[in-house]
Amino acid sequence: MFDVVALGETLIDFTPGGANAQGVKLFACNPGGAPANVLAMNARLGGKTAFIGKVGRDSFGSFLRKTMVQCGIDTTGLIADEKLNTTLAFVQLDEHGDRSFTFYRDLGADVMLQSHEVKKSLIDACRIFHFGSVSLTADPCRTATMEAARYAKAQGKLISFDPNFRPLLWLEPAQAVGWMRQGVQLADLLKVSEEEMCLLTGETDPERGAARLMAMGPGLVLVSMGEKGAYYQNKMGGGLVPTFDVETVDTTGAGDAFWGAVLYQLRGKTAAELAQMPSQQLQQVVRFGNAAGSLTTMKSGAIPAMPTQEEIEACLKTRKLMEA
C-alpha cells in the first residue's frame, strides 16, 4: 500500500548557479515538478510513494527517473516518450530568493500523458491520490488527470489537490480558475497559496477564503502564506501557525516540501477524521510542515534541498519563529 500516489509533471528546474569566468550566467540542472517534489519530501520522511507521469526518452528524463529511484519513489507509472522531450523550466530569483518560472513545455512530454497510460493499479494501492493544476492546462494530460482523480475518488481514496497556479501556462486566468475549482471540488485535502486563494474565492482574508474553499468540498484547507506561516481550517476551527526564521536562498519547492511533510503527518487518516481533527493536533501537523518548507529555502533547488526528519526535528526544537 502506498501512502501517496501523485500524478502530474516532473521536469528539470534550471536554477541560477552563479556565473563563469567571463561573467556569463550559469544554471544548475535540478530535478523538479510539484507532484514529484511532494513525493520526494514524503519519501524522505519514510513514506511509501509512487509517481504517474511522462518524460522524454532523453538524458533529462533518465536523470529524473534516476532521482526518483534514489528518493525511494516507485517509478513504474513513469512513461518515457520516444518522440517528445522532457519539459524544462528556467527559474529566476529576486533579491529575497522568491522565484518565477519560464517554461519550455509546448508539446513537452508531461502534457502528452494519455488516459490509457495511467497505471490505475497504483491508484488502487494508495491511501492518498495527489495532483495539481499544471497537468490541467492542456489535453491530453488534462483529461487523463481528471479521469484519474475521479477514479481515485470513486475508489474511496483521499484526494489531495494543490492548484500550483502558473499564469504563463494558461491562456487566461478565467480558464485556470474553472479547472482549478473542479480540482477543489474533488479534494478532501487542499493546499493553496494566498494568491491562489484570492484567485479562487476573491477573498484576501485567510479565514474567509478558507471557509469559501471548504464550502466547495474539502474537509481540510491549508493556506501557505510565505514568511507569515500557514493558515489551517477544518470543521473544528482554524488558525495561523507561524513559520521559522531562516536565511532564505531559494524558495523553489518550499510549498511542495511543506505539503509533502503535511501529508506524511496525516497518513492513515480518513476524510472524516481530517475534517474533525482537533485544532491542537492540526497545529502540530502544520508546524512540522512549516519546518520542512522553511529548511528547504536555505538551499538551492527543490528535491536536493529537502530536509531529513532529523533536520526538521532540530528545527522544531531550536529555531526561532518569525515575528508577526
Side-chain angles (χ1 to χ4, degrees):
M1 179 66 71
F2 294 103
D3 295 308
V4 186
V5 168
L7 183 151
E9 75 281 2
T10 183
L11 48 79
I12 300 295
D13 282 330
F14 283 103
T15 56
N20 66 11
Q22 290 75 42
V24 178
K25 288 184 178 180
L26 301 176
F27 287 85
C29 177
N30 280 300
N37 294 342
V38 169
L39 294 184
M41 184 70 256
N42 195 284
R44 186 157 295 179
L45 295 171
K48 189 174 181 183
T49 64
F51 182 80
I52 299 171
K54 183 180 279 193
V55 293
R57 192 173 292 281
D58 50 29
S59 60
F60 292 132
S62 297
F63 170 60
L64 290 169
R65 184 185 298 274
K66 181 179 179 181
T67 299
M68 287 192 193
V69 171
Q70 290 173 340
C71 289
I73 301 169
D74 185 292
T75 60
T76 57
L78 178 61
I79 296 167
D81 194 284
E82 299 289 344
K83 298 180 180 179
L84 300 172
N85 293 326
T86 300
T87 299
L88 310 178
F90 283 81
V91 182
Q92 290 80 41
L93 300 176
D94 66 15
E95 63 272 20
H96 304 294
D98 290 328
R99 78 286 183 271
S100 58
F101 297 89
T102 300
F103 291 92
Y104 289 79
R105 192 173 179 246
D106 288 346
L107 292 182
D110 76 288
V111 185
M112 302 309 291
L113 180 71
Q114 300 182 57
S115 294
H116 72 270
E117 296 174 315
V118 173
K119 193 170 183 180
K120 289 184 176 178
S121 60
L122 293 175
I123 300 175
D124 292 336
C126 79
R127 294 185 175 90
I128 299 173
F129 177 80
H130 173 73
F131 71 110
S133 75
V134 170
S135 57
L136 300 180
T137 56
D139 271 323
C141 191
R142 174 190 295 157
T143 297
T145 301
M146 292 304 295
E147 287 184 359
R150 292 185 183 114
Y151 175 81
K153 190 79 170 179
Q155 301 305 308
K157 310 301 179 180
L158 276 179
I159 307 299
S160 163
F161 180 60
D162 177 0
N164 198 34
F165 178 54
R166 297 288 178 261
L168 293 177
L169 296 180
W170 295 91
L171 294 176
E172 56 182 1
Q175 181 195 35
V177 169
W179 285 106
M180 288 192 294
R181 282 179 175 166
Q182 289 196 41
V184 172
Q185 290 164 5
L186 286 170
D188 300 295
L189 294 137
L190 175 67
K191 178 254 175 189
V192 294
S193 67
E194 285 185 279
E195 176 192 15
E196 291 157 354
M197 178 191 72
C198 183
L199 186 66
L200 290 167
T201 69
E203 297 284 356
T204 57
D205 176 75
E207 182 177 359
R208 293 195 300 268
R212 291 194 62 177
L213 289 167
M214 280 184 60
M216 298 181 194
L220 174 61
V221 173
L222 282 86
V223 183
S224 59
M225 303 176 67
E227 64 181 18
K228 290 179 285 187
Y231 181 87
Y232 69 89
Q233 189 171 134
N234 68 354
K235 291 181 180 179
M236 304 303 291
L240 178 66
V241 180
T243 194
F244 296 87
D245 190 359
V246 299
E247 295 182 6
T248 295
V249 173
D250 179 2
T251 60
T252 305
D256 303 326
F258 166 82
W259 196 233
V262 165
L263 293 182
Y264 178 75
Q265 291 288 293
L266 296 177
R267 65 194 185 281
K269 301 293 184 183
T270 66
E273 288 172 336
L274 293 175
Q276 301 288 341
M277 185 176 290
S279 288
Q280 185 176 7
Q281 189 176 351
L282 265 178
Q283 288 168 8
Q284 295 304 311
V285 169
V286 177
R287 190 165 177 264
F288 186 91
N290 281 345
S294 294
L295 292 172
T296 300
T297 71
M298 296 179 68
K299 300 177 184 177
S300 181
I303 292 175
M306 291 179 177
T308 63
Q309 177 93 30
E310 292 73 22
E311 289 171 329
I312 292 174
E313 289 176 354
C315 177
L316 293 171
K317 292 177 182 177
T318 63
R319 284 198 176 271
K320 294 181 180 179
L321 296 173
M322 291 287 290
E323 295 182 4

